[in-house]
Amino acid sequence: MAAQETVDHKYVYDFAEGNKDQKVLLGGKGANLAEMTNLGLPVPPGFTITTEACKAYLATGEEPAGLADQISARVGALEAAMGRKLGDPEDPLLVSVRSGAKFSMPGMMETVLNVGLNDRSVVGLSAQAGGNDRFAWDSYRRLIQMFGKTVCDVPGEEFEHALDDAKRAKGTTNDLDLDADDLRGLVDAYKKIFSKHTGREFPQDPREQLDLAIKAVFESWNAERAVVYRRQERIPADLGTAVNVVAMVFGNLGPDSGTGVAFTRDPASGAQGIYGDYLANAQGEDVVAGIRNTVPLQELEKLDKKSYDELLDYMARLEGHYKDLCDIEFTIERGKLWMLQTRVGKRTAAAAFVIAGQLVDEGLIDLDEALHRVNGAQLAQLMFPRFKLDHEFQPVAKGIGASPGAAVGKVVFTSARAVELAGEGEQVILVRRETNPDDLNGMIAAQGILTSRGGKTSHAAVVARGMGKTCVSGADELDIDIPGRKFIVAGQTVREGDVVSIDGTTGKVYLGEVPVMPSEVVQYFEGELDPEQTDDPLVKAVHRIMTHADAKRRLAVRTNADTGPDAARARRFGAEGIGLCRTEHMFLGDRRELVEKLILARTDDERDSALAALLPLQRADFEEIFREMDGLPVTVRLIDPPLHEFLPPLEQLAVNVAVAQERGEDVAKEEALLAAVRRMHEENPMLGLRGVRLGLVIPGLFAMQVRAIAEAAVTVTRAGAVAKPEIMVPLVGAVQELETVRAEAEKIIAEVVGDSGVEVLIGTMIEVPRAALTAGQIAEAAQFFSFGTNDLTQMAWGFSRDDVEGAFFWRYLELGIFGISPFESIDRDGVGRLVRIAAEEGRAARPGLKLGVCGEHGGDPESVHFFHEVGLDYVSCSPFRVPVARLEAGRAVVETTGSDSR
Ligand code: ADP
Ligand code: MG
Ligand code: MG
């Protein structure tokens, strides 16, 4: 047998042979059991069957050659170590058969305890336990139940009903009141259920039990819930699970036995201390199953001081060893503590920061590692406004926190009503059973979305996250009646117009208006909370890690801001300039009239006078922004959208004209506008007359904007501040376009700037694929490039941004065509390749060419790492994303390849 083992591939590892870094091969549970074994902690002996064996089995439906023999050899060694034999009628060895994949998938796969019990060994088990018949029969009934359910697909409820019947017959609700005879009877009942569903007797051969359980664990990798969970958590489907076979220890041997779970710190807040639950006289799964009420772990000190102290010692050792929060499962058998599992514990966003900071203080990790252990998604979560929750507010339902945020509004049940009420200035919450593409307008109009069906990948969830809108999905306690415009929850009826508050982080739903406030972290970024003065551990930790990220990062972070207040806020949040100042808002509001004049102008004079009237207004806007950004660069984009966007919609104009005609009023202007709108109508406005094309077609338009920028810069500089304008030409696809605009602009700039010392750069956006592909030529005429990754994505994929996300992205996500919308996170292979080409060829043509990115990708964590890799100089994003980009730009530097933080 030993010879065979050396010939065959090694599929089975003793715990003493593995370590914590072998998660891919041994799964997380197996690797960590091995690590604890080698640390000298009391782990029951056992072995791990590798994920490779699982993958081989799943591929062929058969155990790979050599596996059975290797298992036999390990079982033999285990029997020798324990001095007991599997199936021995006098002194049997029992084992558990436990799943465990590379990434923790809590509760998704199978585990079978007490394997090795049969009609004969149950007697031996009782003798082992000093004649404890009750314990032995309880263990046996658990085996039949778990084995039946997980290995043979017997409906679990049938066992539960039989257990309830036994308790009812005894006049109790507590399973501890069942005595040995009751349990023996229950074993008979369970066996009948087993053979009714499987057509065979419960297997008495322990090795057959073991082999079937191992196969069931292999197969549980492809159970539907596991598949769904993996898709949600983006865990690859081809990893397979390992199987751990572990000698059983018993927490159900009496009051001096028990089982529990423990965390080395609070996974919710990160606070130091002992957190956990303990249940006396119980076996593993009872704690999580909530069969009986657990007690806080601290109570164990009174029940069993020796085990408690020992456990605390191991917890401290594990934390010191893993240098992180550990999550632990343990069992006490008659006063002897056994460690059954540990892993680096999952935690909330707040706890992630707090714990990273604490571990630095404790000297366990350095600041680089602390930075690595938090991420921008967590920081973003900490920046959402939160409900100011006093005790008077109790949730009435809890769904899935599908898209974070705190939203308050009047309940509406249809998209149309949402649009209508929002149009009247009301805040609304759109409530639906589930949403579909027809609800899109309502979702856009609403403050938040609440559904009673669907999970984190439902249409509502995906679209809401895409829009950054708060969403609670799958709140199934809500009984929604769409035609009746009401829902019932917790016995109360909520009608259209009633106010609710939904928390997209926790999934909780409240009736009435819960007040909101900016989070502490935002108060800190705003400068309202001094990190040195506060005793909020979260703010202190965020401050410390942000400071380190800033020291580390190579990428600069700018902001997208079009107004003075936005620019000022972004500057407080750490922006080092403006990467995108859109000028189109400067054509809205009371300036529409001037724009209409411009569009309707029939002579050069009419057009010039409209532009002349716009000039001082634009100049004032730029002055405000330059003043706020004193000393920092400000990239101003010349007007980009099609001009008809500034005119009233066609239908509205048509109605106006008809009504005015009816009343016999003068309709000349209305008619002229209507004619202009008809004339300017485009089938594909995003691909039409916009961006640089406007500048080339409408004489004087760009010139006016360039003049306003240059004059504002001179004014601000003469007043003692430093203005650093960078003029950016949108939608360039050919160098000739840029050259034409630039020649005109340079003339104006030279004339305005004079000897003021103001320097104005002229560059271009790279957002048309052709621009990326001819970047070498374009760089000859551009002093900087800024990648407009929204348009670049739109044109590279051929996706109409305004339509696709609601129309079919949910399906693309479901099919895995992409794991995340390419508008949310940059598509490295396609759009990213265009960015790479443009960066390389641009810099080859013009060494030192300044490269940046504007558009929301600039604030997306994954994308920031990509832009760092490609070697851009800066990213630019909306003010609230600036801290996220700073953090991720720092993380991109310390990131070590191959590490995973799941
Ligand atoms: P999960 O991954 O769902 O937590 P586990 O494999 O950890 O599943 O097992 C489920 C429960 O059974 C746990 O509480 C664990 O502590 C307990 N358990 C597993 N193996 C043994 C064993 N050999 N002896 C005693 N309890 C065990
Ligand atoms: Mg476990
Ligand atoms: Mg664009």
Side-chain angles (χ1 to χ4, degrees):
M1 216 175 274
Q4 177 118 36
E5 219 172 318
T6 55
V7 172
D8 289 326
H9 190 75
K10 185 172 168 66
Y11 286 119
V12 183
Y13 286 70
D14 190 86
F15 287 164
E17 293 177 301
N19 68 60
K20 70 173 168 37
D21 300 319
Q22 289 180 296
K23 283 189 196 158
V24 175
L25 185 67
L26 304 178
K29 197 179 287 166
N32 288 324
L33 281 168
E35 189 78 10
M36 286 201 290
T37 302
N38 291 321
L39 281 174
L41 267 50
V43 176
F47 56 85
T48 303
I49 302 166
T50 65
T51 54
E52 285 176 356
C54 171
K55 286 191 279 189
Y57 174 78
L58 291 178
T60 62
E62 276 171 39
E63 289 191 8
L67 177 59
D69 288 341
Q70 291 182 36
I71 292 173
S72 299
R74 283 296 154 209
V75 168
L78 191 56
E79 289 176 333
M82 299 295 287
R84 286 175 177 159
K85 280 193 168 325
L86 216 52
D88 187 338
E90 320 248 288
D91 188 14
L93 168 69
L94 304 191
V95 295
S96 61
V97 179
R98 316 168 65 186
S99 57
K102 177 180 178 193
F103 299 112
S104 152
M105 298 168 52
M108 294 300 137
M109 293 182 300
E110 308 296 5
T111 285
V112 186
L113 304 182
N114 304 333
V115 168
L117 274 177
N118 57 25
D119 295 349
R120 282 152 38 108
S121 63
V122 66
V123 181
L125 182 66
S126 167
Q128 234 176 58
N132 189 339
D133 276 351
R134 183 196 184 278
F135 154 73
W137 287 98
D138 186 46
S139 300
Y140 194 18
R141 70 96 189 159
R142 284 170 191 265
L143 170 65
I144 302 170
Q145 182 167 358
M146 249 186 273
F147 191 94
K149 195 174 141 205
T150 66
V151 180
C152 302
D153 295 323
V154 179
E157 320 77 82
E158 298 217 14
F159 294 118
E160 266 136 47
H161 292 155
L163 179 60
D164 288 342
D165 290 346
K167 286 195 257 188
R168 203 171 308 117
K170 194 82 182 175
T172 181
T173 55
N174 188 340
D175 53 330
L176 288 182
D177 290 335
L178 298 178
D179 63 22
D181 283 338
D182 302 325
L183 291 164
R184 192 179 285 123
L186 195 56
V187 163
D188 282 338
Y190 276 13
K191 280 189 187 163
K192 288 206 184 79
I193 295 170
F194 185 92
S195 48
K196 185 178 93 190
H197 281 279
T198 62
R200 59 165 293 184
E201 296 299 309
F202 178 74
Q204 293 290 312
D205 173 5
R207 180 58 196 257
E208 189 189 358
Q209 292 174 2
L210 179 62
D211 288 340
L212 289 173
I214 290 170
K215 282 186 194 158
V217 172
F218 284 160
E219 278 162 12
S220 69
W221 176 256
N222 282 331
E224 194 183 323
R225 62 179 178 198
V227 172
V228 170
Y229 182 84
R230 283 200 293 273
R231 205 181 290 144
Q232 237 170 64
E233 300 291 312
R234 299 210 201 107
I235 295 174
D238 58 358
L239 297 172
T241 180
V243 183
N244 303 286
V245 177
V246 190
M248 282 301 298
V249 293
F250 299 101
N252 51 339
L253 271 175
D256 58 352
S257 304
T259 185
V261 295
F263 291 94
T264 56
R265 297 176 197 233
D266 183 348
S269 71
Q272 274 142 315
I274 306 298
Y275 294 82
D277 301 299
Y278 182 72
L279 190 56
N281 201 2
Q283 204 168 44
E285 76 278 16
D286 296 354
V287 177
V288 262
I291 295 176
R292 276 180 274 141
N293 285 337
T294 56
V295 298
L297 187 57
Q298 279 81 356
E299 306 263 313
L300 180 61
E301 187 170 15
K302 282 175 239 149
L303 298 171
D304 181 350
K305 173 110 173 81
K306 186 178 135 288
S307 295
Y308 181 73
D309 289 344
E310 201 182 327
L311 177 65
L312 257 50
D313 175 45
Y314 296 151
M315 284 166 71
R317 277 169 65 184
L318 284 173
E319 244 210 19
H321 184 71
Y322 282 86
K323 304 182 194 311
D324 209 342
L325 161 75
C326 292
D327 171 346
I328 291 160
E329 290 177 6
F330 66 93
T331 280
I332 297 172
E333 178 180 317
R334 291 202 168 131
K336 160 89 180 122
L337 173 67
W338 293 98
M339 302 294 278
L340 292 177
Q341 190 175 337
T342 192
R343 64 171 163 241
V344 167
K346 294 193 195 266
R347 67 207 69 188
T348 63
F353 276 88
V354 170
I355 291 172
Q358 288 167 356
L359 294 174
V360 173
D361 286 336
E362 292 164 26
L364 284 173
I365 61 174
D366 61 13
L367 274 166
D368 279 4
E369 177 64 20
L371 182 53
H372 172 64
R373 289 201 186 169
V374 297
N375 62 52
Q378 290 165 336
L379 183 63
Q381 233 183 51
L382 297 174
M383 291 179 68
F384 282 109
R386 58 178 53 146
F387 284 128
K388 217 152 110 189
L389 280 174
D390 308 328
H391 41 266
E392 51 180 307
F393 288 102
Q394 291 298 329
V396 289
K398 187 171 181 312
I400 292 162
S403 179
V408 181
K410 291 187 173 171
V411 166
V412 292
F413 294 90
T414 63
S415 182
R417 189 70 182 138
V419 172
E420 196 174 87
L421 277 188
E424 292 165 17
E426 297 279 4
Q427 305 211 322
V428 300
I429 303 288
L430 178 63
V431 180
R432 305 283 293 164
R433 280 210 193 88
E434 53 204 339
T435 60
N436 64 47
D438 292 338
D439 292 318
L440 199 64
N441 289 329
M443 295 174 76
I444 293 168
Q447 294 300 114
I449 297 124
L450 171 60
T451 69
S452 61
R453 288 202 212 137
K456 274 200 163 164
T457 54
S458 62
H459 176 266
V462 171
V463 177
R465 277 199 299 276
M467 299 192 296
K469 220 145 256 185
T470 300
C471 175
V472 171
S473 67
D476 53 14
E477 292 121 298
L478 263 57
D479 187 0
I480 300 177
D481 171 6
I482 301 278
R485 298 184 172 207
K486 63 176 196 249
F487 67 79
I488 297 171
V489 67
Q492 301 188 62
T493 302
V494 178
R495 293 178 195 283
E496 182 176 286
D498 291 349
V499 172
V500 299
S501 302
I502 61 173
D503 186 330
T505 307
T506 62
K508 289 180 181 164
V509 180
Y510 303 86
L511 300 186
E513 179 179 346
V514 180
V516 291
M517 57 183 244
S519 74
E520 291 78 10
V521 171
V522 165
Q523 293 175 42
Y524 153 67
F525 286 129
E526 286 281 9
E528 291 159 8
L529 248 179
D530 181 348
E532 310 296 337
Q533 300 299 318
T534 176
D535 40 38
D536 184 331
L538 175 59
V539 169
K540 279 187 182 304
V542 168
H543 171 64
R544 190 157 178 203
I545 293 172
M546 289 304 295
T547 307
H548 190 63
D550 286 340
K552 279 277 164 178
R553 68 189 157 89
R554 186 189 56 72
L555 274 176
V557 177
R558 296 195 192 180
T559 192
N560 301 348
D562 320 337
T563 65
D566 268 3
R569 157 172 275 161
R571 200 171 183 168
R572 291 195 298 277
F573 282 11
E576 298 157 289
I578 290 182
L580 174 63
C581 170
R582 299 177 175 88
T583 51
E584 37 272 22
H585 83 276
M586 303 173 183
F587 289 73
L588 294 175
D590 50 5
R591 301 167 186 186
R592 256 179 206 276
E593 224 169 299
L594 292 172
V595 180
E596 285 174 10
K597 270 203 189 129
L598 174 69
I599 293 172
L600 297 180
R602 270 162 308 180
T603 65
D604 290 356
D605 279 353
E606 279 176 21
R607 188 184 56 238
D608 289 349
S609 82
L611 287 171
L614 279 165
L615 176 70
L617 302 172
Q618 295 236 305
R619 191 172 51 215
D621 292 333
F622 293 132
E623 281 176 21
E624 188 187 356
I625 290 169
F626 289 147
R627 260 195 306 273
E628 292 292 357
M629 297 309 277
D630 179 12
L632 299 178
V634 175
T635 306
V636 181
R637 180 176 71 184
L638 301 180
I639 188 157
D640 184 42
L643 287 187
H644 53 74
E645 278 192 13
F646 300 100
L647 298 181
L650 184 78
E651 307 79 51
Q652 187 192 321
L653 278 171
V655 171
N656 287 357
V657 169
V659 170
Q661 270 169 342
E662 190 114 320
R663 293 199 190 122
E665 291 165 9
D666 175 19
V667 292
K669 191 189 150 210
E670 237 74 27
E671 273 177 342
L673 271 178
L674 184 57
V677 169
R678 289 220 166 99
R679 179 161 28 86
M680 292 163 75
H681 174 78
E682 291 175 317
E683 290 298 338
N684 289 308
M686 295 312 283
L687 302 177
L689 180 56
R690 53 174 286 228
V692 67
R693 302 158 197 177
L694 283 172
L696 299 178
V697 166
I698 300 178
L701 178 59
F702 275 12
M704 179 276 289
Q705 290 201 296
V706 169
R707 183 174 293 278
I709 294 164
E711 288 181 357
V714 169
T715 307
V716 168
T717 302
R718 292 239 154 90
V722 178
K724 294 184 158 180
E726 303 179 342
I727 294 176
M728 178 158 80
V729 184
L731 222 70
V732 165
V735 67
Q736 294 83 352
E737 293 171 314
L738 183 60
E739 281 168 348
T740 309
V741 171
R742 188 171 165 185
E744 187 188 20
E746 276 176 341
K747 237 184 275 158
I748 298 166
I749 292 166
E751 177 194 318
V752 173
V753 162
D755 60 356
S756 65
V758 169
E759 200 196 341
V760 185
L761 302 187
I762 300 178
T764 183
M765 292 195 72
I766 301 289
E767 56 184 338
V768 177
R770 190 182 188 283
L773 297 172
T774 60
Q777 296 167 16
I778 293 179
E780 303 283 349
Q783 288 174 291
F784 63 89
F785 283 175
S786 176
F787 292 95
T789 49
N790 294 341
D791 268 304
L792 198 56
T793 301
Q794 176 159 265
M795 290 188 232
W797 278 90
F799 284 157
S800 160
R801 184 178 195 197
D802 298 326
D803 302 317
V804 289
E805 301 203 74
F808 62 81
F809 265 25
W810 57 275
R811 183 65 179 144
Y812 273 46
L813 291 164
E814 221 173 60
L815 289 172
I817 293 173
F818 34 65
I820 185 167
S821 156
F823 288 111
E824 218 176 297
S825 197
I826 189 125
D827 151 37
R828 288 180 174 237
D829 298 343
V831 179
R833 187 158 147 70
L834 288 169
V835 172
R836 249 183 227 281
I837 291 171
E840 279 163 21
E841 297 186 4
R843 283 211 170 124
R846 184 189 280 255
L849 177 70
K850 182 151 63 167
L851 300 175
V853 60
C854 55
E856 278 309 292
H857 288 107
D860 167 65
E862 270 296 310
S863 311
V864 170
H865 287 235
F866 175 76
F867 298 133
H868 170 81
E869 269 170 54
V870 180
L872 301 195
D873 296 297
Y874 68 86
V875 295
S876 185
C877 53
S878 60
F880 265 88
R881 285 260 144 190
V882 165
V884 172
R886 284 164 55 203
L887 183 75
E888 289 294 347
R891 292 188 71 229
V893 176
V894 302
E895 203 77 311
T896 47
T897 46
S899 65
D900 55 73
S901 45
R902 245 183 289 221

